[in-house]
Structure formats: structure tokens, C-alpha cells
Amino acid sequence: CYKQISNFDGTVEDCTAVLEVDPENVKALIRRAQALEGLERYRFALQDVKTVLSMPFDKVGKSNFDLCNGMQHRLNRTVQQLKAMG
């Protein structure tokens, strides 16, 4: 798995391929969001996180929901800080 060796581009490509077949694959959305954050593509990461958070809670599960909720707050802060910097 690319994620373990910080190959964020490879992780994004792999997860995107999975999502083309299964657009609601929670694990792929979360992994891609984490990789996009690692690549400093915060808005795209936020999009994936929001997609997960909009899914039914029983499909996502508590641990994934909590993880995405934390990521959403962190990413929102980062995007706001970048906007403030110009």
C-alpha cells in the first residue's frame, strides 16, 4: 500500500481508480483525502471528507465519521488560513 511509504500521488491514483468503480467506497475516499492533504491539495481533500460525512452514519461507522469530522475541522482551518494569506 502506497500510503505507508508516503507515496501520496500513487495513493491518490489507486483510490481514484477504486472510486471510479465504487464511488461510495468509504475507505478509498478517506485514504484519498489523507493523501490529498499530504500533497497540500486541501480543497480536494475537503471534498472527499464532506462526501463521507454526507453518507448514512451506519455505512460510514463511528470511527470513520470521527476521523472525517476531525479532518474537516483541520482542513477548514487550513483553507481559511491560506485565504487570509492571500
Side-chain angles (χ1 to χ4, degrees), residues 34-83:
Q34 291 170 325
L36 287 165
E37 184 179 10
L39 292 167
E40 299 181 2
R41 294 170 64 191
Y42 304 114
R43 285 191 176 88
F44 291 106
L46 199 51
Q47 249 177 337
D48 283 352
V49 166
K50 286 180 177 178
T51 299
V52 173
L53 291 173
S54 71
M55 293 179 178
F57 186 81
D58 59 329
K59 178 181 171 91
V60 175
K62 181 176 175 11
S63 61
N64 287 331
F65 184 86
D66 290 345
L67 173 67
C68 286
N69 207 18
M71 285 181 72
Q72 182 178 31
H73 289 295
R74 184 174 65 241
L75 289 164
N76 274 328
R77 266 197 315 275
T78 303
V79 168
Q80 292 307 318
Q81 288 170 348
L82 290 171
K83 278 184 186 173

Side-chain angles (χ1 to χ4, degrees), residues 9-43:
D9 288 314
T11 301
V12 170
E13 286 174 27
D14 286 354
C15 291
T16 300
V18 169
L19 292 165
E20 284 173 5
V21 177
D22 180 9
E24 293 192 347
N25 185 306
V26 173
K27 190 181 282 187
L29 283 163
I30 292 172
R31 286 195 177 147
R32 186 171 73 175
Q34 291 170 325
L36 287 165
E37 184 179 10
L39 292 167
E40 299 181 2
R41 294 170 64 191
Y42 304 114
R43 285 191 176 88

